[in-house]
Amino acid sequence: MPRVTMTVNGKPVSGEVEGRRLLVQFLREDLDLTGTHVGCDTSQCGACVVHVDGHAVKACTMFAAEAEGADVTTIEGIAAPDGTLNAIQQAFQDHHGLQCGFCTPGMVMSAAALLAENPKPSEAEVRDYLEGNICRCTGYHNIVKAIMAASGQDVNAIAAE
Amino acid sequence: MYEFDFERPTSVADAVAALGTEEAQALGGGQTLIPTMKQRLAMPAKLVSLTGIAEMQGVRRNDAGELCIGGGTTHATVAREARDAYPALADLASHIGDPAVRNRGTIGGSLANNDPSACYPAAVLGSGATVVTSNREIAADDFFEGMFTTALEDGEIITEVRFPVPEAANYQKFEQPASRFALVGVFVARFSGGVRVAVTGAAEEGVFRWHEAEKALSSDFGPGAVEGLSVSADGMIADLHGSAAYRAHLVGVLTKRAVAAAAG
Amino acid sequence: MPKDGGIGAASKRREDVRFLTGTGNYTDDINIRGQAYVHFLRSDVAHGRIEKLDTAQAAAMPGVVRIFTGADFEDVGGLPCGWQVTDKHGAPMQEPGHPVLAQGKVRHVGDPIAAVVADTPEQARDAAEAIIYDIAELPAVVDMKAALDPGAPKVHDELESNLCYDWGFVEENKPAVDAAFEKAAHVTTLELVNNRLIANPMEPRVAVGDYARSTDESTLFTTSQNPHVIRLLMGAFVLGIPEHKLRVVAPDVGGGFGTKIFHYAEEAFCTFAARALARPVKWTSSRSEAFMSDAHGRDHVTRIELALDADNNFVALRTDTLANMGAYLSTFAPSVPTWLHGTLMAGNYKTPLIHVNVRAVFTNTVPVDAYRGAGRPEATYQLERVIDKAAIELGVDPIALRRQNFVTEFPYETPVAVTYDTGDYNATMDKLEEIADLSGFDARRKESAKRGKLRGLGVNTYIEACGIAPSNLVGQLGARAGLYESATVRVNATGSISVMTGSHSHGQGHETAFPQVVADMLGIDESMIEIVHGDTARGPMGMGTYGSRSLAVGGSAMVRATEKVINKARKIAAHLMEASEADIELKDGQFTVAGTDKSVAWGDVTLAAYVPHNYPLDEIEPGLEETAFYDPSNFTYPAGAYACEVEVDPETGKVTIERFAAADDFGNVVNPMIVEGQVHGGLGQGIGQALLEGCTYDENGQLITGSYMDYAMPRADDVPFYQVDHSCQTPCTHNPLGVKGCGEAGAIGSPPAVVNAVVDALRSGGHDITHIDMPLSPSRVWTAMQG
Ligand SMILES: Cc1cc2nc3c(=O)[nH]c(=O)nc-3n(C[C@H](O)[C@H](O)[C@H](O)COP(=O)(O)OP(=O)(O)OC[C@H]3O[C@@H](n4cnc5c(N)ncnc54)[C@H](O)[C@@H]3O)c2cc1C
Ligand code: FES
Ligand code: FES
């Protein structure tokens, strides 16, 4: 079996993988990073979103072998080393942007990618960016609010509009 | 998914060689192929990833003024880097799927797949682009051969797509509510020599040119010119998301809107 | 008061930290050393006879441990149904068997035929593909009306027909109802479909079976809303494992919405196979599999008639419904179109005469059971749609017509067997008019028109029966279970508390809201209290979470157990302070003797309970742990008024939700942040039902909407920010917290608002349309506009 080597959450990792091993399987099963979830098999739900070389990708739609040499960040890797939540994670808690938590890792990783590209997104931009992240619990209200709050905007005023 | 061998060549030549073996298949961004393999509807013995091939990446202008996009360029890159040179194309790319799909999916993969509801085929046909492959150049009008079928031979790789840049253009996508692919999409491009109108999503045969509208728009490029025109519902896709008549109707509406947006 | 919250505080959720850092523990995150994986070979035809099933070749494939077929389950019970409905002639419903693996026949696409256990998931799937089988296809029944034709093919050969039951409610009232229709000044009739839905919690189902030979103990880890119920059903009815040898754990569960209430074949299989193989066996559903194996929801076809007198008072209501059961009876399926639907047909109105007829039908489709709201959305939708249609026909204002007919005096005994304890429907309607800014609608409509869009307004009310349910009552109605809830409050020596609840949290935030209640009662900090749930080995028998019952029933059990704790703690405190128990007061975590400055802290009392050196051992036992089982005396009746504003693009038929407002009365509210989140989520699903979602089969029983490519899930850009309000509060009169439940309201109340709004928009554009069936997809709306 070919060997892959990559950096995951700042740590070098490597493993033997079959060609068909998906990145999400490598993360969940080989590295025991079970924060990245699988919610579908048609690449639509976004529960599996991670960052590969700084870009949001669906880890269920990429082979582990394709991440050779890449820098991968998962939900486990974004809080401070002492466990302090980052601004997006904190905003999700403050604004109740999660219920069952299953879509949450993908939501947070997509939100992080959005804010990196667009530090002050409008409501419409947030909603548009989340096209590939399905949440069944929240009706999206508090997710959108949380992301806008994480970008430093006064969300209570916006949501009351 | 069935097991397969995985190769990641760094040049087109090596990729062509790798694809020379039995049951080998190219892997672009995998955004179509991987879900298909999960359903076990595709079972290549070998996958040749094209993502490591630098010469297939990027957006540039050639001497003829065409916008050349490497066959392995992602939708996200096109959305970003074609913004100034060909805004309608960048806009189309920025509405394919979602951000994570756009970060992996490639123009070459989209065209090779020729999904009848895909967006890029409308831009390529609507611009009269040239599809450059590992061994030839194919005019857009000759490339698309019907639903999921193209002029590509086995093992042939799309290395680049060359778009003549129109004076004005616009793409209108009406999304299928579930998949968010185009239920109908219309690409309108005005060149000095005439107007091209390409329609995706609607027809069983895949992307097609609406010649009647092209003719009307070539003499009068405004929404009024297509007002009375309609396409026939014959040969239109009919499914859960819309009847043939509905799709035919949307072709008219979206063409008008695309012209209004391009002209405005 | 607790320093960090208490009842009414918007305490932040403590469970969030693990979910936000990727350290939750969902069932698929559980891997047991040595586990094998199962792949189910599922039928790809809707109806057929298994002529041949040859697993020999497949069994020899690499990694295969064993292949199971229906033959292995001949001595095992089938999946039980937990509710027996009696038809209008007094006969029990027809109740077919539901084998774990198909026996002789397959009855829907997705029906499991064989199960391959192998060392890896891919090997299991490879071998499943190598199974040689032959199914002689039989004609499928998909359409409910056709299924009832005398000559229709039968889903179950051993049954008389495809009719599960013909239920009339209240049957004795039928002549009076019919007579009222004869005399009515106006009758409005509406035929409609309540579209079939797929619950789609984002976490697909997973089951991991484990078996310890040394103790003969089986453990099932499963994605369930009610692990105790699964233990009872699976242990007692399917596998014959007594409770003390069977543990069911439902750890973090990624959403349920009803579809994770039921006991499924895969759970029984993994438990069974783990015993048979003495090896852990894991099944993880793919989403594609979920579409054809999770119980679906709704799927009613209804004709409703509303009779009004000359003054527009509602005088009678009559409905005739076909309800799809699918191919087998899922755990609570028979109760949904009957007791959870018929009893709500009065809505918020004082209609004196009501008759509801429901025929439940077997078809060659996936079983249908409760989905968020379960029966109540179906009741609300038809009632609120027919009222809007009546308003159109009579040329009156739909809000005024509703207000005129509201129930205004409580308690109110409906003609459909339930008694509303409290409510104030005018108050919620007033509140709605305010938060939805209905007075500004005309201006907004004009503004939309300038952009070429048709704007419409839809308003409706809803009522639901939650907090299920009084056990003796449901027993009379056919439930084969009690519907109490349990709690054990275990006070530890240092004063910290573990509360073992029979409720289960899969997104509802119990771990945060429940401690708020206990902290409030004791006056100690929430952070001292922890909620334990989801494991039959760790708490008393409980019935789980569904029907917006957790706080109303589970919370009440917790209150009762906490009261017992307080009573005992007061005795201890009295002893420690050498005072009379009657003089002991508990405030802010301190026991004091009334009228003195004597006090003893909570922690001192709890320590004394476990280190009983100075302790009244002759009067009370050491320790401080109490259990209570709470059985409600009535349902609770949350109610509210909803308003939706839409824009319709007249050229394409596309509907966009511009505004959505919800004014709810949930009685008392423990955590307003969580309550609002529950409403938002319900609205998202209700809007999804109205605009996007619809499960469709073709005439051969093939599932057309078998993935997210065709089943439209609501996404962030399909919905707006919602205006929600829960300040109208008429507390429930019969539970100690005065709470009513908020989990399903949004999904119940929102679909009619959306459809009412779209119809209003189209009518404003000159289209003579009174109804369009959900989902209101662009193509359906456009087609309706073509006349
Ligand atoms: C959730 C989701 C939403 C989507 N929405 C849209 C949408 O709205 N509109 C739209 O147009 N598309 C959409 N897509 C499809 C997406 O654009 C894909 O990226 C694209 O269709 C395939 O490109 P790929 O690079 O991923 O190709 P792959 O999946 O890797 O390959 C697809 C096919 O092309 C072949 N191939 C790949 N690259 C080449 C090449 N350079 N030369 C020759 N053959 C090649 C492969 O062998 C394979 O047969 C969506 C996909 C997903 C998952
Ligand atoms: S798991 Fe659904 S998109 Fe990756
Ligand atoms: S929080 Fe449950 S799916 Fe989003």
Side-chain angles (χ1 to χ4, degrees):
Chain A
M1 269 190 285
R3 196 165 184 81
V4 290
T5 304
M6 64 185 90
T7 305
V8 177
N9 298 330
K11 290 194 207 84
V13 299
S14 66
E16 312 251 297
V17 294
E18 285 187 332
R20 63 181 165 180
R21 197 135 187 92
L22 297 165
L23 178 59
V24 72
Q25 294 172 321
F26 183 67
L27 294 171
R28 285 183 57 82
E29 292 161 31
D30 295 321
L31 304 183
D32 204 24
L33 292 170
T34 55
T36 302
H37 294 155
V38 177
C40 75
D41 47 6
T42 49
S43 308
Q44 284 165 297
C45 75
C48 61
V49 169
V50 300
H51 294 186
V52 173
D53 294 330
H55 298 295
V57 304
K58 291 178 169 171
C60 73
T61 318
M62 180 171 175
F63 294 113
E66 292 181 283
E68 173 64 36
D71 190 358
V72 177
T73 308
T74 72
I75 189 71
E76 287 93 344
I78 61 167
D82 70 353
T84 308
L85 302 182
N86 80 6
I88 297 170
Q89 291 169 310
Q90 190 58 56
F92 268 70
Q93 185 183 33
D94 292 347
H95 295 277
H96 190 26
L98 63 152
Q99 292 184 21
C100 79
F102 198 79
C103 72
T104 307
M107 284 289 176
V108 169
M109 296 312 285
S110 281
L114 166 62
L115 297 187
E117 281 171 35
N118 181 356
K120 287 255 178 305
S122 67
E123 179 199 340
E125 286 170 337
V126 174
R127 291 185 186 277
D128 182 55
Y129 201 89
L130 296 181
E131 167 154 346
N133 290 87
I134 304 178
C135 174
R136 193 52 153 170
C137 295
T138 63
Y140 300 101
H141 185 107
N142 285 338
I143 291 177
V144 177
K145 239 175 114 175
I147 295 173
M148 295 184 77
S151 75
Q153 305 186 62
D154 178 1
V155 281
N156 287 327
I158 296 166
E161 252 306 290
Chain B
M1 206 178 294
Y2 298 101
E3 182 47 350
F4 52 81
D5 292 334
F6 185 80
E7 282 188 38
R8 200 158 175 242
T10 53
S11 73
V12 172
D14 288 349
V16 169
L19 284 169
T21 60
E22 193 92 350
E23 308 274 330
Q25 191 170 359
L27 175 69
Q31 303 302 291
T32 295
L33 188 52
I34 295 176
T36 313
M37 289 172 66
K38 283 189 202 169
Q39 305 291 328
R40 299 196 158 195
L41 297 172
M43 45 193 89
K46 185 203 279 181
L47 271 193
V48 180
S49 167
L50 306 177
T51 52
I53 305 174
E55 59 192 294
M56 281 175 60
Q57 294 291 332
V59 177
R60 63 179 181 97
R61 282 269 199 169
N62 68 7
D63 295 343
E66 291 169 318
L67 190 72
C68 305
I69 298 178
T73 310
T74 63
H75 310 329
T77 303
V78 174
R80 215 167 36 239
E81 295 182 10
R83 180 73 50 204
D84 294 335
Y86 195 167
L89 183 67
D91 188 59
L92 173 145
S94 73
H95 288 97
I96 295 175
D98 56 65
V101 167
R102 295 195 287 274
N103 281 332
R104 297 288 306 164
T106 67
I107 188 168
S110 177
L111 295 175
N113 193 50
N114 193 20
D115 187 305
S117 306
C119 300
Y120 265 130
V124 168
L125 190 61
S127 308
T130 305
V131 178
V132 183
T133 74
S134 39
N135 54 346
R136 57 183 168 147
E137 295 183 4
I138 310 171
D141 285 315
D142 301 327
F143 182 80
F144 302 103
E145 297 187 339
M147 194 181 271
F148 296 112
T149 329
T150 67
L152 290 177
E153 310 273 345
D154 272 355
E156 193 173 1
I157 300 171
I158 299 175
T159 54
E160 189 171 81
V161 187
R162 294 186 192 141
F163 290 89
V165 179
E167 296 163 359
N170 185 263
Y171 177 63
Q172 292 286 319
K173 176 183 183 185
F174 192 83
E175 288 177 352
Q176 193 257 54
S179 72
R180 304 284 188 109
F181 276 69
L183 185 72
V184 176
V186 177
F187 196 97
V188 171
R190 192 189 73 206
F191 293 90
S192 55
V195 174
R196 290 175 74 103
V197 177
V199 179
T200 188
E204 282 168 356
E205 286 304 299
V207 66
F208 70 95
R209 284 173 68 185
W210 187 13
H211 295 289
E212 201 186 353
E214 290 182 351
K215 215 160 108 204
L217 288 166
S218 294
S219 52
D220 168 19
F221 193 73
V226 285
E227 196 64 62
L229 302 185
S230 60
V231 292
S232 159
D234 289 347
M236 292 283 151
I237 298 171
D239 63 14
L240 173 69
H241 306 288
S243 63
Y246 181 56
R247 282 187 166 82
H249 166 77
L250 283 180
V251 172
V253 172
L254 299 178
T255 304
K256 206 174 60 185
R257 290 182 181 182
V259 172
Chain C
M1 274 296 286
K3 288 191 292 295
D4 57 354
I7 291 175
S11 299
K12 286 179 197 164
R13 297 202 330 166
R14 48 177 85 178
E15 44 272 79
D16 288 359
V17 175
R18 66 177 188 272
F19 297 147
L20 282 163
T21 53
T23 50
N25 183 35
Y26 297 88
T27 310
D28 194 41
D29 301 343
I30 296 171
N31 293 299
I32 305 174
R33 200 208 299 222
Q35 78 193 6
Y37 298 81
V38 57
H39 184 90
F40 291 94
L41 173 67
R42 295 181 183 276
S43 176
D44 54 3
V45 302
H47 195 193
R49 205 169 299 287
I50 303 171
E51 304 268 305
K52 178 174 170 190
L53 186 55
D54 178 356
T55 58
Q57 202 175 315
M61 303 255 303
V64 174
V65 179
R66 187 168 153 192
I67 301 180
F68 295 82
T69 67
D72 295 294
F73 285 83
E74 267 161 18
D75 299 331
V76 171
L79 302 174
C81 178
W83 202 297
Q84 185 183 63
V85 166
T86 303
D87 80 1
K88 59 182 169 197
H89 310 295
M93 65 187 189
Q94 293 205 81
E95 192 172 352
H98 186 178
V100 174
L101 295 176
Q103 310 228 348
K105 243 180 121 177
V106 290
R107 297 185 178 84
H108 65 83
V109 168
D111 212 359
I113 301 168
V116 181
V117 180
D119 291 336
T120 73
E122 297 290 355
Q123 288 169 334
R125 188 164 172 185
D126 288 339
E129 283 182 8
I131 292 174
I132 299 165
Y133 68 99
D134 201 356
I135 297 180
E137 210 172 332
L138 299 166
V141 281
V142 180
D143 178 73
M144 287 191 277
K145 282 199 185 95
L148 294 180
D149 282 348
K154 284 194 288 184
V155 177
H156 296 275
D157 303 335
E158 68 278 18
L159 301 186
E160 277 165 34
S161 68
N162 293 318
L163 180 68
C164 178
Y165 55 73
D166 183 354
W167 185 74
F169 183 67
V170 172
E171 198 57 15
E172 298 82 72
N173 294 348
K174 181 93 167 71
V177 172
D178 290 345
F181 269 90
E182 294 289 319
K183 285 193 307 207
H186 183 85
V187 173
T188 296
T189 304
L190 181 60
E191 291 187 17
L192 50 78
V193 173
N194 202 294
N195 40 329
R196 186 180 182 112
L197 302 177
I198 303 179
N200 272 305
M202 290 321 297
E203 177 200 31
R205 288 189 296 117
V206 181
V208 188
D210 193 12
Y211 177 65
R213 203 171 255 166
S214 54
T215 57
D216 189 32
E217 203 182 65
S218 291
T219 304
L220 171 69
F221 298 89
T222 181
T223 48
S224 175
Q225 301 175 218
N226 33 235
H228 282 96
V229 175
I230 302 304
R231 183 180 66 167
L232 178 67
L233 294 175
M234 182 173 78
F237 297 97
V238 189
L239 301 180
I241 306 173
E243 284 96 326
H244 67 292
K245 293 293 180 194
L246 179 57
R247 175 179 171 206
V248 178
V249 184
D252 287 330
V253 173
F257 315 114
T259 205
K260 290 178 183 167
I261 297 172
F262 322 123
H263 176 40
Y264 286 97
E266 296 86 357
E267 294 173 319
F269 178 83
C270 289
T271 311
F272 177 87
R275 276 179 94 91
L277 303 170
R279 184 172 172 184
V281 174
K282 180 172 187 173
W283 172 70
T284 302
S285 174
S286 69
R287 181 62 60 186
S288 301
E289 233 180 331
F291 271 93
M292 53 174 146
S293 66
D294 290 6
H296 294 176
R298 316 275 194 264
D299 205 353
H300 287 193
V301 176
T302 294
R303 177 188 166 89
I304 179 167
E305 297 164 285
L306 175 65
L308 301 95
D309 68 14
D311 299 322
N312 297 341
N313 297 311
F314 303 164
V315 291
L317 187 73
R318 191 161 64 185
T319 75
D320 185 18
T321 289
L322 292 178
N324 208 334
M325 294 285 102
Y328 303 99
L329 289 178
S330 172
T331 313
F332 290 113
S335 67
V336 175
T338 50
W339 301 108
L340 294 176
H341 160 250
T343 51
L344 271 300
M345 278 317 305
N348 309 57
Y349 311 101
K350 50 190 186 219
T351 317
L353 288 163
I354 298 176
H355 184 264
V356 177
N357 202 95
V358 178
R359 282 169 293 160
V361 185
F362 293 111
T363 59
N364 292 111
T365 62
V366 171
V368 182
D369 204 328
Y371 165 60
R372 199 172 195 166
R376 292 152 289 172
E378 294 89 322
T380 303
Y381 180 66
Q382 43 178 302
L383 182 59
E384 295 296 325
R385 285 290 304 123
V386 81
I387 293 172
D388 249 43
K389 188 173 182 213
I392 290 171
E393 289 173 355
L394 297 165
V396 298
D397 173 49
I399 297 179
L401 181 62
R402 287 179 166 85
R403 283 188 186 267
Q404 170 185 347
N405 286 284
F406 275 163
V407 171
T408 51
E409 278 164 32
F410 297 88
Y412 174 74
E413 196 180 323
T414 70
V416 277
V418 291
T419 301
Y420 303 159
D421 57 345
T422 53
D424 187 344
Y425 308 144
N426 275 306
T428 41
M429 187 61 90
D430 291 346
K431 178 54 77 177
L432 179 78
E433 295 200 18
E434 175 198 325
I435 63 170
D437 183 29
L438 294 192
S439 57
F441 173 73
D442 287 335
R444 291 192 292 275
R445 173 174 270 179
K446 288 200 185 83
E447 192 276 326
S448 298
K450 276 194 210 134
R451 288 181 286 107
K453 298 283 163 46
L454 301 172
R455 197 175 188 103
L457 169 66
V459 171
N460 65 274
T461 67
Y462 77 90
I463 187 161
E464 51 168 332
C466 292
I468 53 176
S471 294
N472 55 2
L473 174 66
V474 297
Q476 285 163 29
L477 305 182
R480 290 164 170 163
L483 283 168
Y484 54 83
E485 196 47 273
S486 65
T488 295
V489 175
R490 174 177 297 161
V491 183
N492 301 310
T494 62
S496 68
I497 297 175
S498 300
V499 179
M500 276 59 84
T501 172
S503 297
H504 185 276
S505 184
H506 32 280
Q508 297 87 341
H510 297 169
E511 291 172 35
T512 302
F514 279 28
Q516 291 182 247
V517 173
V518 176
D520 206 272
M521 292 176 72
L522 298 175
I524 63 173
D525 283 355
E526 289 174 18
S527 58
M528 290 176 67
I529 302 157
E530 182 194 57
I531 300 299
V532 177
H533 65 95
D535 184 345
T536 59
R538 293 183 72 189
M541 169 82 178
M543 297 308 292
T545 287
Y546 39 83
S548 306
R549 70 192 299 272
S550 293
L551 194 59
V553 189
S556 295
M558 187 175 66
V559 169
R560 292 279 190 260
T562 306
E563 284 168 357
K564 291 189 196 176
V565 163
I566 292 172
N567 282 343
K568 185 167 176 186
R570 282 159 51 97
K571 288 194 174 68
I572 302 170
H575 176 88
L576 291 177
M577 294 187 281
E578 295 173 341
S580 152
E581 194 195 325
D583 295 334
I584 301 294
E585 288 170 358
L586 171 60
K587 193 164 176 283
D588 294 339
Q590 293 281 327
F591 292 90
T592 52
V593 182
T596 73
D597 58 1
K598 274 197 208 166
S599 80
V600 51
W602 169 251
D604 295 329
V605 171
T606 62
L607 191 64
Y610 289 95
V611 187
H613 297 161
N614 173 18
Y615 196 85
L617 284 167
D618 45 349
E619 287 165 43
I620 50 175
E621 296 167 6
L624 196 50
E625 170 168 330
E626 299 288 349
T627 294
F629 285 76
Y630 177 83
D631 205 281
S633 60
N634 190 357
F635 293 88
T636 63
Y637 300 95
Y642 286 11
C644 177
E645 273 179 42
V646 298
E647 267 187 6
V648 179
D649 178 345
E651 286 188 319
T652 63
K654 185 168 168 60
V655 176
T656 48
I657 309 269
E658 296 297 317
R659 298 166 70 92
F660 203 106
D664 293 293
D665 175 359
F666 296 133
N668 294 336
V669 164
V670 169
N671 184 321
M673 177 192 83
I674 289 177
V675 165
E676 285 172 19
Q678 289 295 305
V679 176
H680 296 156
L683 294 178
Q685 292 184 357
I687 291 170
Q689 167 163 31
L691 288 189
L692 297 160
E693 300 178 41
C695 170
T696 310
Y697 283 91
D698 74 8
E699 68 276 11
N700 298 319
Q702 290 295 329
L703 182 59
I704 297 177
T705 49
S707 79
Y708 294 146
M709 293 300 279
D710 287 303
Y711 188 90
M713 291 286 279
R715 319 254 188 129
D717 60 359
D718 288 316
V719 293
F721 279 130
Y722 319 104
Q723 261 60 59
V724 302
D725 181 281
H726 46 79
S727 65
C728 299
Q729 299 182 349
T730 60
C732 168
T733 56
H734 56 79
N735 66 42
L737 290 165
V739 297
K740 295 184 172 180
C742 64
E744 294 160 294
I748 294 170
S750 52
V754 176
V755 179
N756 289 349
V758 173
V759 170
D760 181 55
L762 296 179
R763 294 185 69 80
S764 79
H767 299 279
D768 186 20
I769 287 169
T770 52
H771 181 69
I772 309 176
D773 274 326
M774 302 185 287
L776 302 182
S777 63
S779 80
R780 280 203 182 172
V781 173
W782 180 80
T783 305
M785 282 192 288
Q786 307 314 301

